């Protein structure tokens, strides 16, 4: 108080004796505030209340570790707590609950506030708890709550290590009995060089993330995530970490000397020597008999030990020994521990009869649930886990709201420990710290062998269901998870296996030092409970991927810890042999059950056109579209829909799905590949001659088409016949005129309205027409014959005149992609009429035939009629050409004639004309005109 007064009001120290506190009516000076007490002789005079300045006495320690300045401060906040410390490193301060205000962010929750502890907070709580728990005195069962909060974070340092060191400092300042301090350090390694206190950016490049806690001489806790680091390199990292962690101890001791509280005397719940001796005399021989009989199973052994406890209880009740009855469970457990440890140290034999380095019998099975993406069943002794794998889209990755680290996690391992696995009844609640810790350990072990995200962009979830537990279910999860991942077809680099190593030691009571010890490989649940440590080590044949060390005594020498690494390596290789015999390489993904994922690249404007899930799960990022489908058939449908909506880069020779948008005389326009237009020319519709485009395709019809190139204008040319098989009929026979003959009655013609749009028109048969004859013409006729009035109407609508060939040429030219060259026109014509190179036409004859139909290149129309030669041949067909034709079909209003060379023509009956023609009659005809579809119209020539 005096020092506070001196600092605030220096003149108060020089007051004369009569101006003392009471004489002036001063009541108190507290925390820098001045006040007056009312004076009884004088009436009260109200005075304004003036707020003074509160001074908080703080204590601080600063020191440097790994080039980072670290501060420990107490006295400013949480003054009612038994101990409170703020630890700072750079701009991060830890006072451990992660609250979003520490990084200037409002929580992304419905209530906009932090709720139940997140997974990471539970894990950091375990990091803090594991090293401090062994240092509380034996028999101290009072509740101790440590609350660590991140006050501010710059995102560069992970606050977990700082929180543990702050916890140690707070316990040192408190009046709680505790055998600290401890120091915790993080070690990374980049390019073979170890780094002390690495930043988050450095950790992303590191192949080692080692968290190490210790006292001045002994190890308390180890937590490792690595990328197959060798045992030798890991030992080097541990030996570097110890002296660096010790640097945290002295500042805590100095701070406690300045501001620490006097430790209180707490009543410890201890077992008296008299009680322990009495229980030992009653139970030790029986307990030893159970432990030396390896035929007992886990539950049989437990039942026998429980019976021994009940017998001891009855004996104490008969003696009315209330003191011993109160601590009986602890006393019996102490006797059990002493018996089993003595036998292991003296004889080197374990409760189940195994040698110290012997692994329990192993059973492996993969693919046991074939309907799932991946599954496995792993058993080691009585411990059994069932692991399953589920694959998903990148968008299904877990979103993280941590102060540091990545925002998402694409590989998740969820560990479940149901009550039935230990033959108990229990209620399942929310996140359990033990389940989260065991699952995270297995997750870190497997993460090292997963393929890079660029090679395998799936989100992967592994579920581990513990079916039976008798020691080290987390390491069984590593083994089962590795097999399930390979069963799912995930290209793991190596199998990962894990084993738990235990320790039984004999301690000198006078010094507390270990006199003798035994290392146990693959410990039972009972050995874990009665032993000194549970050292879980997972890795491949190449190196270690994950470690978790938990101990019970107040530290274990680092030399013993390093010795355990070799024992774990030998046990791990034995387990890997069994796993590789079951499944040694990733399975080929099954078409029925394995999901499919496709990643496509687009610009962002194009991606905006994609709407809806389309039957699969789609994730869109910057220029990348990823699709996950349940199986291959669904994937094909989704990609087909994506191609239709968005499209892909068009390649010549590529096959695309499209929809016919319009039908013209010269072909059809097709929308495909995300809205692009292509031309399907009439010559590319079919291997057979096509008279009308609408006979083959119709508006709205979906087609599979091949891109065959672009014309000079850049229009995309498509082909239907390129993806259609060639017909099995002999084309040459048709060209030569060997057509089937049907001399039966003829049929009436179908009108244009009778032909449904988009269907292959079939001419209706007469009642007495034999089915099956001329089936080729009825299914896909080479030409559709209509009445004269219909033909005239069609020609007028198309701009044609029976006497004007120049109009025909101008129309064809306008419908083509550019001004046609002679070779292009010849190619289109010969393709549409199915005249192939196998025919006997010479090049000159082909040119002449093309001139007849398309005219000369210079547009001279006057020569078309004068060049006609009266030869009975279809090789040089043009206006005025005389051809010997055969009747192909007889209709009510005219004839379908075979002009040779696969060309069909039509002849219209005149009024009152004789109609007694039969199929096969030979006629001499002359080409008089062409229809709008390019079909020759002929007239009879008098013989």
């Amino acid at each position: 108080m005096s020092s506070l007064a001196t600092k605030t009001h220096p003149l108060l120290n020089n007051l004369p004796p009569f101006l003392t506190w009471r004489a002036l009516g001063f009541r108190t000076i507290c925390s820098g505030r001045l006040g007056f007490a009312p004076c009884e002789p004088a009436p009260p005079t109200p005075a304004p209340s003036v707020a003074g300045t509160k001074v908080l006495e703080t204590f601080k320690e600063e020191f440097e570790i790994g080039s980072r300045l670290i501060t420990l401060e107490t006295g400013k906040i949480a003054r009612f707590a038994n101990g409170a410390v703020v630890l700072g490193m750079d701009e991060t301060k830890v006072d451990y609950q992660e609250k979003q205000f520490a990084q200037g962010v409002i929580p992304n929750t419905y209530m906009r506030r932090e709720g139940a502890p997140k997974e990471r907070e539970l894990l950091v709580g375990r990091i803090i708890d594991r090293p401090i728990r062994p240092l509380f005195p034996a028999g101290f069962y009072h509740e101790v709550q440590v609350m660590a909060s991140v006050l501010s974070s710059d995102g560069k340092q992970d606050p977990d290590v700082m929180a543990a060191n702050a916890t140690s400092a707070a316990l040192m300042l408190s009046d709680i009995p505790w055998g600290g301090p401890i120091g915790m350090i993080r070690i990374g390694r980049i390019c073979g060089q170890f780094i002390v206190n690495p930043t988050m950016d450095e950790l992303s490049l590191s192949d080692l993330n080692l968290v190490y806690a210790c006292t001045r001489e002994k190890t308390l806790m180890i937590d490792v995530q690595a990328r197959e680091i060798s045992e030798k390199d890991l030992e080097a990292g541990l030996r570097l970490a110890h002296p660096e962690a010790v640097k945290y101890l002295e500042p805590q001791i100095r701070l406690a000397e300045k501001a620490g509280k006097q430790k209180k005397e707490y009543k410890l719940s201890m077992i008296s020597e008299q009680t322990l001796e009495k229980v030992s005399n009653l139970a030790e021989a029986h307990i030893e008999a159970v432990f030396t009989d390896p035929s007992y199973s886990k539950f049989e052994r437990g039942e026998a030990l429980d019976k021994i406890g009940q017998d001891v209880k009855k004996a104490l009740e008969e003696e009315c020994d209330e003191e011993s009855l109160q601590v009986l469970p602890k006393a019996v457990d102490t006797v059990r521990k002493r018996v089993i440890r003595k036998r292991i140290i003296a004889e080197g034999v374990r409760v189940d009869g195994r040698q110290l380095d012997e692994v329990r019998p192993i059973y492996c099975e993969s693919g046991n649930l074939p309907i799932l993406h991946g599954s496995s069943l792993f058993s080691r002794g009585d411990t059994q886990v069932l692991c399953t794998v589920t694959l998903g889209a990148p968008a299904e990755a877990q979103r993280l709201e941590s102060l540091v680290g990545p925002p998402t996690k694409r590989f998740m391992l969820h560990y479940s420990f149901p009550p039935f696995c230990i033959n108990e009844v229990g209620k399942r609640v929310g996140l359990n710290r033990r389940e989260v810790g065991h699952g995270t350990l297995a997750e870190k072990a497997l993460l090292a062998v997963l393929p890079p995200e660029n090679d395998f962009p799936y989100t992967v979830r592994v579920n581990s269901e513990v079916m039976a537990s008798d020691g080290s279910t987390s390491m069984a999860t590593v083994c089962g998870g590795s097999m399930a991942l390979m069963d799912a077809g995930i290209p793991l680099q190596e199998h990962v296996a894990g084993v738990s190593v235990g320790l039984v030691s004999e301690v000198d009571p006078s010094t507390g030092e270990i006199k003798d010890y035994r290392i146990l490989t693959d410990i039972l649940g009972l050995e874990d409970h009665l032993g000194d440590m549970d050292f879980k080590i997972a890795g491949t044949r190449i190196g270690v991927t994950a470690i978790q060390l938990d101990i019970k005594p107040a530290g274990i020498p680092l030399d013993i810890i390093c010795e355990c690494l070799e024992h774990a390596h030998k046990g791990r290789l034995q387990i890997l042999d069994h796993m590789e015999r079951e499944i040694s390489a990733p399975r080929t993904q099954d078409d029925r059950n394995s999901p499919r994922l496709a990643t496509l690249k687009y610009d962002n404007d194009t991606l905006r056109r994609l709407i809806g899930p389309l039957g699969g799960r789609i994730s869109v990022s910057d220029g990348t579209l990823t699709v996950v489908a349940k199986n291959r058939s669904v994937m094909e449908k989704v990609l087909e829909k994506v191609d239709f909506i968005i499209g892909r880069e068009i390649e010549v020779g590529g096959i695309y799905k499209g929809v016919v948008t319009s039908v013209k005389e010269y072909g059809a326009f097709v929308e495909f590949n995300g809205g692009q237009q292509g031309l399907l020319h009439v010559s590319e519709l079919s291997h057979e001659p096509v008279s009308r485009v609408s006979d083959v395709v119709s508006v709205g019809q979906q087609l599979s088409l091949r891109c065959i190139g672009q014309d000079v204008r850049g229009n995309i040319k498509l082909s239907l016949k390129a993806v259609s098989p060639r017909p099995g009929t002999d084309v040459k026979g048709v060209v030569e005129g060997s057509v089937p003959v049907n001399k039966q009655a003829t049929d009436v013609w179908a009108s244009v309205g009778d032909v449904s749009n988009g269907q292959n028109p079939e001419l209706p048969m007469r009642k007495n027409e034999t089915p099956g004859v001329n089936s080729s013409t009825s299914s896909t006729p080479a030409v559709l014959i209509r009445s004269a009035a219909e033909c005239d109407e069609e020609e007028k609508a198309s701009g044609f005149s029976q006497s004007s060939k120049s109009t025909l040429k101008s129309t064809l030219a306008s419908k083509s992609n550019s001004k046609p060259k002679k070779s292009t026109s010849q190619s289109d014509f010969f393709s549409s009429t199915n005249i192939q190179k196998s025919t006997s036409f010479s090049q000159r004859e082909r040119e002449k035939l093309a001139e007849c139909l398309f005219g000369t290149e210079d547009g001279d129309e006057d020569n078309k009629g004068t060049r006609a030669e009266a030869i009975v041949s279809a090789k040089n067909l043009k206006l005025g050409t005389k051809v010997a034709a055969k009747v192909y079909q007889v209709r009510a209003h005219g004839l379908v004639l075979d002009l040779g060379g696969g060309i069909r023509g039509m002849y219209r009956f005149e009024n009152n004309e004789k109609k007694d023609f039969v199929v096969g009659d030979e006629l001499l005809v002359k080409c008089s005109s062409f229809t709008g579809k390019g079909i020759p119209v002929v007239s009879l020539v008098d013989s």
Side-chain angles (χ1 to χ4, degrees), residues 594-631:
S594 296
R596 292 293 185 268
L597 187 147
T599 300
L600 312 173
K601 293 290 184 179
Y602 298 96
D603 61 79
N604 291 328
D605 291 336
T606 302
L607 287 173
R608 293 191 186 99
R609 295 162 53 191
L610 188 65
I611 301 174
L614 308 177
R617 295 189 298 275
I618 292 177
S619 62
V620 178
S621 60
D622 189 14
T624 300
L625 172 69
T626 303
V627 182
V628 176
K630 185 176 181 180
N631 50 46

Side-chain angles (χ1 to χ4, degrees), residues 597-666:
L597 187 147
T599 300
L600 312 173
K601 293 290 184 179
Y602 298 96
D603 61 79
N604 291 328
D605 291 336
T606 302
L607 287 173
R608 293 191 186 99
R609 295 162 53 191
L610 188 65
I611 301 174
L614 308 177
R617 295 189 298 275
I618 292 177
S619 62
V620 178
S621 60
D622 189 14
T624 300
L625 172 69
T626 303
V627 182
V628 176
K630 185 176 181 180
N631 50 46
R632 179 175 293 177
S633 62
V634 175
M635 173 62 77
E636 291 174 354
K637 293 178 182 177
V638 173
L639 291 181
E640 177 183 328
K641 191 69 174 178
V642 170
D643 289 345
F644 179 75
I645 296 175
I646 296 182
R648 282 185 278 177
E649 183 178 354
I650 299 176
E651 298 178 355
V652 175
I655 298 177
Y656 303 91
K657 294 287 183 70
V659 175
V660 178
T661 57
S662 63
V663 176
K664 306 295 183 183
E665 295 86 354
Y666 49 84

Side-chain angles (χ1 to χ4, degrees), residues 475-495:
M475 294 296 95
T477 295
V478 173
C479 303
S482 181
M483 292 195 301
L485 290 170
M486 279 200 176
D487 182 59
I490 299 176
L492 298 187
Q493 301 170 13
E494 294 275 345
H495 256 317

Side-chain angles (χ1 to χ4, degrees), residues 713-767:
R713 293 182 178 178
N715 297 320
I716 301 169
K717 297 195 295 183
L718 303 173
S719 174
L720 179 61
K721 71 179 185 181
V723 296
S724 304
R726 289 184 176 274
T729 56
D730 187 356
V731 178
K732 185 175 181 180
V734 175
V735 173
E736 294 175 352
S738 58
V739 295
V741 177
N742 179 15
K743 296 190 178 183
Q744 300 204 4
T746 59
D747 192 10
V748 296
W749 291 356
S751 65
V752 177
D754 293 332
V755 181
S756 61
N757 198 16
Q759 303 294 328
N760 290 331
E762 294 188 4
L763 302 177
M765 293 185 294
R766 294 180 64 91
K767 295 179 181 179

Side-chain angles (χ1 to χ4, degrees), residues 666-668 670 678-682 684-685 697 703 705 718-720:
Y666 49 84
V670 179
L679 174 62
L680 176 59
H681 193 265
V682 63
E684 296 296 333
L685 284 172
V697 297
L703 301 171
L705 304 166
L718 303 173
S719 174
L720 179 61

Side-chain angles (χ1 to χ4, degrees), residues 749-751 763 783-787 790-791 889 891 893-897 905-908 935:
W749 291 356
S751 65
L763 302 177
V783 60
L784 174 64
I785 300 180
R786 292 168 285 189
S787 65
E790 290 171 339
C791 289
Q889 286 184 349
R891 300 296 184 183
H893 301 285
L895 304 174
V896 179
L897 300 176
M906 68 178 183
Y907 169 71
R908 303 185 184 93
I935 301 169

